[in-house]
Amino acid sequence: KAGVTQTPRYLIKTRGQQVTLSCSPISGHRSVSWYQQTPGQGLQFLFEYFSETQRNKGNFPGRFSGRQFSNSRSEMNVSTLELGDSALYLCASSPGIDTQYFGPGTRLTVL
Amino acid sequence: KNEVEQSPQNLTAQEGEFITINCSYSVGISALHWLQQHPGGGIVSLFMLSSGKKKHGRLIATINIQEKHSSLHITASHPRDSAVYICAAHTDKLIFGTGTRLQVFP
């Protein structure tokens, strides 16, 4: 089976812009979770989707949003980018409440 | 105080040494995850455990639910084990420790 794929792998944006990141889970996996990793805060949970429904959400402002499509692919969107949004964004898929399989991440730089 | 604490933050070892990384948590969990992150960012899930002990090759993970403590052991460490090891408490979401950076020298 192909692993979790994320696109794009690298992205440079400027403050105030918005960005959309994409995640394709392992075939058959219905749960997709998103995480932010920064040197200062480490890994933090953003949100989880299961069968197109947001199942859980972390403590991030409303500028961070996501969605999941019927084929389980997921997107996350960050609006009005701030310098502090520069991070590695990781998604992970799992069949349900189970081991998570991580994608390679999207490295976002906000200038 | 963080809900998930790891120690040590940094660890240096000679090839062949026995390694132990500790993780303590203060929240109620359904499971505890151990993850490995290599330079470049890719994360691999090593273990998910809710009780007792699991072993995979040279890696052993244990958890004591009563004491809210888990350990990851690496036997006969090798330079390819050099990575950041992260524990994560599984509540209704994953809460991560700050990671332990391990360097194993030949």
Side-chain angles (χ1 to χ4, degrees):
Chain A
K1 275 186 181 178
V4 178
T5 58
Q6 291 187 245
T7 56
R9 293 291 312 278
Y10 302 92
L11 204 47
I12 299 175
K13 292 284 188 180
T14 56
R15 278 183 300 174
Q17 288 187 309
Q18 75 162 19
V19 66
T20 299
L21 311 181
S22 180
C23 172
S24 292
I26 291 172
S27 178
H29 287 192
R30 296 163 67 187
S31 169
V32 173
S33 297
W34 287 90
Y35 303 95
Q36 182 198 64
Q37 186 176 35
T38 60
Q41 298 296 319
L43 270 164
Q44 295 183 90
F45 170 78
L46 278 159
F47 25 66
E48 182 199 1
Y49 287 87
F50 183 86
S51 294
E52 302 180 66
T53 301
Q54 188 180 83
R55 190 152 71 173
N56 209 342
K57 190 176 189 304
N59 297 322
F60 279 82
R63 301 184 296 107
F64 291 81
S65 63
R67 60 178 175 168
Q68 186 179 32
F69 302 95
S70 58
N71 62 358
S72 292
R73 189 177 71 84
S74 178
E75 289 181 347
M76 67 162 281
N77 184 276
V78 188
S79 62
T80 320
L81 283 166
E82 301 177 359
L83 295 179
D85 298 332
S86 295
L88 180 67
Y89 290 88
L90 292 150
C91 81
S93 75
S94 72
I97 305 174
D98 206 330
T99 299
Q100 299 206 352
Y101 298 82
F102 286 81
T106 294
R107 190 166 295 280
L108 171 65
T109 302
V110 182
L111 303 176
Chain B
K1 190 177 188 298
N2 291 335
E3 294 171 299
V4 180
E5 300 272 2
Q6 273 185 251
S7 64
Q9 279 190 299
N10 294 285
L11 193 49
T12 300
Q14 288 294 126
E15 184 173 355
E17 284 186 8
F18 181 85
I19 304 293
T20 295
I21 299 170
N22 296 300
C23 177
S24 297
Y25 54 92
S26 58
V27 292
I29 66 168
S30 58
L32 192 289
H33 296 253
W34 282 101
L35 311 171
Q36 180 192 58
Q37 186 171 31
H38 281 283
I43 291 179
V44 174
S45 180
L46 298 174
F47 296 104
M48 184 180 81
L49 65 165
S50 54
S51 65
K53 176 179 171 177
K54 285 190 176 180
K55 184 176 190 290
H56 185 253
R58 296 180 294 106
L59 301 179
I60 303 166
T62 63
I63 188 167
N64 185 318
I65 297 294
Q66 286 73 30
E67 294 187 4
K68 295 191 172 183
H69 181 269
S70 177
S71 293
L72 176 68
H73 306 285
I74 305 175
T75 62
S77 60
H78 190 276
R80 65 175 174 265
D81 297 326
S82 298
V84 176
Y85 293 84
I86 303 167
C87 70
H90 198 148
T91 58
D92 56 350
K93 57 182 182 270
L94 288 186
I95 304 172
F96 298 91
T98 52
T100 296
R101 185 175 301 276
L102 170 65
Q103 289 185 288
V104 182
F105 292 98

